[in-house]
Amino acid sequence: MRFDWDWAFAAAILPQLVAAMQVTIAATLLGFSVALVGGLLLAVLRRSRRRPLSWTSTAIVEFVRSTPLLIQIYFLFYVMPELGVKLTPFVTGVVALGIHYSSYLSEVYRAGIDAVPRGQWEAAAALDLDRRRTFIRIILPQAIPPVVPALGNYLVAMFKDTPMLSTITVLELLYTARDIGAETFRYLEPLTLVGALFLVVSLVAASGIRLVERRLGT
Amino acid sequence: MLDLLPDLLRGLVVTLQLTAGGACLALVLAFAGGLGRMSGNRMVRAGAGLYIEMFRGTSALVQLFWVYFVLPFFGMEIEAITAGILVLGLNIGAYGSEVVRGAIQSVPAGQYEAATALNLSARRAFWRIAVPQALPIMVPSAGNLLIELLKSSALVSLITTSELTFTAQTLRASTLRTPEIFVLVLLIYFGVALVFTYGMRTLEQRLSFWRQPGSRA
């Protein structure tokens, strides 16, 4: 047994890891922004009265949710250039995360929209509001606040999936940790610190979500 | 395109082994973690809570690398596929713990009171009254977790386990037929996920037969 945790080494690499954490957080926030918009779009299309639109949206959601994010990242990274679309690894990663989580968020939005009482639609119709206005002015403002905590949970989930971007050379936290490991032959400290950093950010984010939940509950 | 299939299907077999192994381990850990968290013993409760928060709070990929690269430093050399099953099981088990706990807590308190009134012991009330009612509640979430597990098994390719994703990457390097390979791989994962979804739906119906009117439980 060679348990030789080196505090000096851990302290020396911590600044490098914290700097890399910024890339992880940036990718998460950008990816989540894409997913917030993409998810809403999919949820609205799914409710469309035009069959091909709702059917396509359902198919996209089911397919994207049921296949691994890692393959989707590879797909964008290796296949897009063959189609003539060249993106940087970071942008590719953000797009992949965004698309993957759009499919989850669309289900969250859908639940929120379905939870708005039918009477609201009827009241809007009685007031002679058209479908689009009803949706934007009446339904969404009631549908979204209750699902904010669920959206928040997916933000944390996405944060924990960003290490996959290390496979397409995005210099985020895990990539940096492995880089340090390869240079120094010490994996114990970098990988343990990465785990600890993730745990801290996740726990802080989770308690933040609980706070929002309580706010929205009152 | 079809000439790529035999290799990919060989990879799929390993993916299914990872998924099956991970699922068995996760099932055990989910019950242990979920029940542990509701235990009257403070130490057990704290232990279960620590396990659940640790594995839910960190990234599955980081957990995998930690087990694969760091455990050898403690003198534990484990095979890649074993490391994969271990991490998948531990990770999904932590999420499953919350599913088990939620389902058992959703059994109405009156059921326990009724069991007490019938002079059933706490243990019997739990296994004969609470669990049979909680199981059908768990199944839909368990199905989602099973699909999460299937998808997470792709990560095990990164510690050189030749499952479906790894096979795809090797094929890509040797044939350069990138789009075909990845489309096939996505379709295979989707197909397996559909089978799992269908299977879990059947299981749910079986487990909740007593809820249907006219059934003799």
Side-chain angles (χ1 to χ4, degrees):
Chain A
M1 174 132 165
R2 294 181 11 225
F3 178 68
D4 51 353
W5 177 271
D6 184 345
W7 281 106
F9 179 60
I13 60 173
L14 192 59
Q16 225 177 316
L17 292 177
V18 170
M21 173 68 106
Q22 288 168 8
V23 179
T24 305
I25 291 177
T28 307
L29 292 179
L30 287 171
F32 201 67
S33 312
V34 173
L36 279 176
V37 177
L40 187 58
L41 202 68
L42 283 172
V44 171
L45 283 180
R46 197 161 178 171
R47 290 186 63 91
S48 167
R49 282 183 188 148
R50 293 199 193 116
R51 276 288 164 75
L53 283 183
S54 64
W55 193 85
T56 310
S57 166
T58 309
I60 292 174
V61 169
E62 290 306 320
F63 188 76
V64 172
R65 280 205 317 165
S66 308
T67 51
L69 173 58
L70 186 62
I71 311 274
Q72 291 162 7
I73 294 172
Y74 286 158
F75 190 88
L76 285 182
F77 189 66
Y78 294 114
V79 177
M80 293 306 275
E82 295 204 7
L83 304 175
V85 185
K86 280 207 195 299
L87 300 170
T88 65
F90 183 80
V91 174
T92 308
V94 165
V95 171
L97 285 173
I99 292 175
H100 191 74
Y101 276 88
S102 292
S103 67
Y104 286 101
L105 295 196
S106 78
E107 292 289 278
V108 174
Y109 285 122
R110 195 162 72 105
I113 293 168
D114 287 346
V116 176
R118 275 196 62 82
Q120 297 287 322
W121 286 97
E122 289 158 6
L127 291 169
D128 198 25
L129 287 179
D130 60 50
R131 210 172 136 79
R132 174 184 307 244
R133 273 174 80 95
T134 306
F135 207 77
I136 294 171
R137 305 289 292 273
I138 311 290
I139 305 300
L140 283 186
Q142 296 182 74
I144 292 180
V147 299
V148 167
L151 295 176
N153 285 336
Y154 281 110
L155 177 65
V156 179
M158 182 189 276
F159 171 65
K160 286 180 294 179
D161 274 347
T162 43
M164 282 187 221
L165 303 192
S166 64
T167 58
I168 54 166
T169 69
V170 176
L171 308 179
E172 44 65 75
L173 195 49
L174 186 62
Y175 189 95
T176 309
R178 290 197 69 192
D179 213 30
I180 295 172
E183 267 175 32
T184 60
F185 299 106
R186 292 193 68 92
Y187 284 97
L188 173 62
E189 292 87 354
L191 286 178
T192 308
L193 284 175
V194 167
L197 285 172
F198 267 97
L199 191 59
V200 169
V201 175
S202 295
L203 290 179
V204 169
S207 56
I209 293 165
R210 243 165 269 153
L211 203 75
V212 172
E213 225 164 304
R214 222 168 296 148
R215 279 279 168 81
L216 289 172
T218 53
Chain B
M1 199 157 171
L2 289 177
D3 57 311
L4 296 163
L5 265 181
D7 282 318
L8 292 177
L9 291 181
R10 261 194 295 280
L12 175 63
V13 172
V14 182
T15 290
L16 292 177
Q17 284 168 350
L18 282 167
T19 309
C24 291
L25 182 59
L27 191 64
V28 173
L29 288 172
F31 271 90
L35 299 184
R37 208 160 201 196
M38 294 184 294
S39 161
N41 185 321
R42 224 173 153 189
M43 293 295 285
V44 172
R45 219 163 47 227
L50 186 69
Y51 157 63
I52 294 168
E53 291 305 329
M54 279 266 282
F55 280 90
R56 290 200 320 157
T58 57
S59 162
L61 187 53
V62 174
Q63 289 159 19
L64 187 67
F65 280 172
W66 201 89
V67 165
Y68 190 65
F69 290 109
V70 172
L71 283 191
F73 283 91
F74 294 89
M76 278 183 268
E77 292 280 356
I78 49 176
E79 243 183 295
I81 189 158
T82 316
I85 289 175
L86 191 66
V87 170
L88 291 173
L90 282 164
N91 187 279
I92 299 296
Y95 287 94
S97 297
E98 294 291 272
V99 171
V100 170
R101 185 174 65 102
I104 288 176
Q105 283 177 348
S106 73
V107 174
Q111 296 286 321
Y112 289 100
E113 289 158 11
T116 310
L118 291 170
N119 202 22
L120 288 181
S121 69
R123 177 180 300 252
R124 271 176 82 91
F126 182 74
W127 289 109
R128 303 294 292 273
I129 307 294
V131 169
Q133 296 186 67
L135 278 179
I137 301 173
M138 293 176 200
V139 174
S141 308
N144 286 340
L145 285 180
L146 185 61
I147 290 173
E148 286 300 318
L149 180 61
L150 170 71
K151 292 191 297 170
S152 307
S153 73
L155 297 179
V156 184
S157 67
L158 298 172
I159 56 169
T160 68
T161 301
S162 52
E163 41 67 80
L164 185 51
T165 306
F166 189 86
T167 312
Q169 285 283 48
T170 335
L171 270 182
R172 195 182 66 78
S174 61
T175 65
L176 296 176
R177 289 158 64 185
T178 309
E180 287 168 76
I181 292 170
F182 282 131
V183 166
L184 266 179
V185 169
L186 284 170
L187 287 176
I188 294 174
Y189 274 110
F190 185 53
V192 176
L194 282 182
V195 172
F196 284 174
T197 310
Y198 180 77
M200 292 306 272
R201 207 169 293 155
T202 312
L203 181 66
E204 192 186 346
Q205 278 161 5
R206 283 278 170 85
L207 284 176
S208 49
F209 68 93
W210 47 267
R211 283 180 170 175
Q212 273 128 36
S215 74
R216 291 174 54 199

Short mmCIF file of all heavy atoms in Angstrom, two decimals, chain A residues 2 12 67 70 92 103 105 110 118 122 132 164 201:
data_model
loop_
_atom_site.label_atom_id
_atom_site.label_comp_id
_atom_site.label_asym_id
_atom_site.label_seq_id
_atom_site.Cartn_x
_atom_site.Cartn_y
_atom_site.Cartn_z
N ARG A 2 0.65 2.09 -1.01
CA ARG A 2 1.47 3.30 -1.10
C ARG A 2 0.56 4.50 -1.03
O ARG A 2 0.26 5.14 -2.03
CB ARG A 2 2.26 3.31 -2.40
CG ARG A 2 3.28 2.22 -2.47
CD ARG A 2 4.07 2.26 -3.77
NE ARG A 2 3.89 3.44 -4.57
CZ ARG A 2 3.71 3.40 -5.89
NH1 ARG A 2 3.64 2.25 -6.51
NH2 ARG A 2 3.60 4.51 -6.58
N ALA A 12 0.40 22.93 -4.89
CA ALA A 12 1.04 23.52 -6.07
C ALA A 12 0.14 23.44 -7.30
O ALA A 12 0.15 24.35 -8.14
CB ALA A 12 2.37 22.82 -6.34
N THR A 67 -29.50 8.10 -26.35
CA THR A 67 -28.18 7.74 -26.84
C THR A 67 -27.12 8.49 -26.03
O THR A 67 -27.40 9.56 -25.49
CB THR A 67 -28.05 8.05 -28.34
OG1 THR A 67 -28.44 9.39 -28.58
CG2 THR A 67 -28.93 7.14 -29.17
N LEU A 70 -21.53 11.02 -24.98
CA LEU A 70 -20.16 10.88 -25.49
C LEU A 70 -20.15 10.66 -27.00
O LEU A 70 -19.37 11.27 -27.72
CB LEU A 70 -19.46 9.70 -24.77
CG LEU A 70 -17.98 9.51 -25.10
CD1 LEU A 70 -17.17 10.72 -24.67
CD2 LEU A 70 -17.44 8.27 -24.41
N THR A 92 -17.85 23.05 -30.25
CA THR A 92 -18.45 21.74 -30.49
C THR A 92 -19.02 21.18 -29.19
O THR A 92 -20.14 20.67 -29.16
CB THR A 92 -17.38 20.75 -31.03
OG1 THR A 92 -16.73 21.35 -32.14
CG2 THR A 92 -18.00 19.45 -31.45
N SER A 103 -33.10 18.09 -24.94
CA SER A 103 -34.09 17.02 -24.96
C SER A 103 -34.64 16.77 -23.56
O SER A 103 -35.83 16.49 -23.39
CB SER A 103 -33.49 15.75 -25.56
OG SER A 103 -32.50 15.23 -24.71
N LEU A 105 -34.63 19.11 -21.05
CA LEU A 105 -35.36 20.30 -20.61
C LEU A 105 -36.72 20.41 -21.28
O LEU A 105 -37.66 20.92 -20.69
CB LEU A 105 -34.53 21.56 -20.87
CG LEU A 105 -33.21 21.68 -20.08
CD1 LEU A 105 -32.69 23.10 -20.12
CD2 LEU A 105 -33.36 21.23 -18.64
N ARG A 110 -42.49 20.77 -20.79
CA ARG A 110 -43.76 20.16 -21.15
C ARG A 110 -44.60 19.90 -19.90
O ARG A 110 -45.79 20.19 -19.87
CB ARG A 110 -43.50 18.84 -21.89
CG ARG A 110 -44.70 18.31 -22.61
CD ARG A 110 -44.26 17.30 -23.62
NE ARG A 110 -43.84 16.06 -22.97
CZ ARG A 110 -44.58 14.96 -22.97
NH1 ARG A 110 -45.75 14.96 -23.57
NH2 ARG A 110 -44.15 13.88 -22.39
N ARG A 118 -56.51 24.01 -17.70
CA ARG A 118 -57.16 24.22 -18.99
C ARG A 118 -57.96 25.52 -19.02
O ARG A 118 -58.06 26.18 -20.05
CB ARG A 118 -58.12 23.06 -19.28
CG ARG A 118 -57.49 21.87 -19.90
CD ARG A 118 -58.58 20.97 -20.49
NE ARG A 118 -59.33 21.67 -21.55
CZ ARG A 118 -58.89 21.75 -22.80
NH1 ARG A 118 -57.74 21.22 -23.14
NH2 ARG A 118 -59.60 22.39 -23.73
N GLU A 122 -59.03 28.49 -21.85
CA GLU A 122 -60.42 28.85 -22.18
C GLU A 122 -60.66 30.32 -21.90
O GLU A 122 -61.30 31.01 -22.70
CB GLU A 122 -61.38 27.96 -21.38
CG GLU A 122 -61.36 26.51 -21.88
CD GLU A 122 -61.85 25.51 -20.84
OE1 GLU A 122 -62.32 25.94 -19.77
OE2 GLU A 122 -61.74 24.30 -21.11
N ARG A 132 -50.85 32.26 -30.10
CA ARG A 132 -49.48 32.67 -29.81
C ARG A 132 -49.42 33.58 -28.58
O ARG A 132 -48.60 33.37 -27.68
CB ARG A 132 -48.91 33.40 -31.03
CG ARG A 132 -47.54 34.01 -30.81
CD ARG A 132 -47.13 34.77 -32.04
NE ARG A 132 -47.25 33.91 -33.21
CZ ARG A 132 -46.20 33.55 -33.97
NH1 ARG A 132 -45.01 33.99 -33.67
NH2 ARG A 132 -46.37 32.78 -35.01
N MET A 164 -16.64 15.16 -20.05
CA MET A 164 -16.57 14.40 -21.31
C MET A 164 -15.94 15.21 -22.43
O MET A 164 -15.43 14.66 -23.40
CB MET A 164 -17.98 13.98 -21.74
CG MET A 164 -18.50 12.80 -20.97
SD MET A 164 -20.04 12.28 -21.69
CE MET A 164 -20.95 11.95 -20.21
N VAL A 201 -18.72 22.30 -5.78
CA VAL A 201 -19.59 23.12 -6.64
C VAL A 201 -21.00 22.52 -6.71
O VAL A 201 -21.99 23.24 -6.64
CB VAL A 201 -18.97 23.28 -8.05
CG1 VAL A 201 -19.92 24.03 -8.97
CG2 VAL A 201 -17.65 24.02 -7.95
#
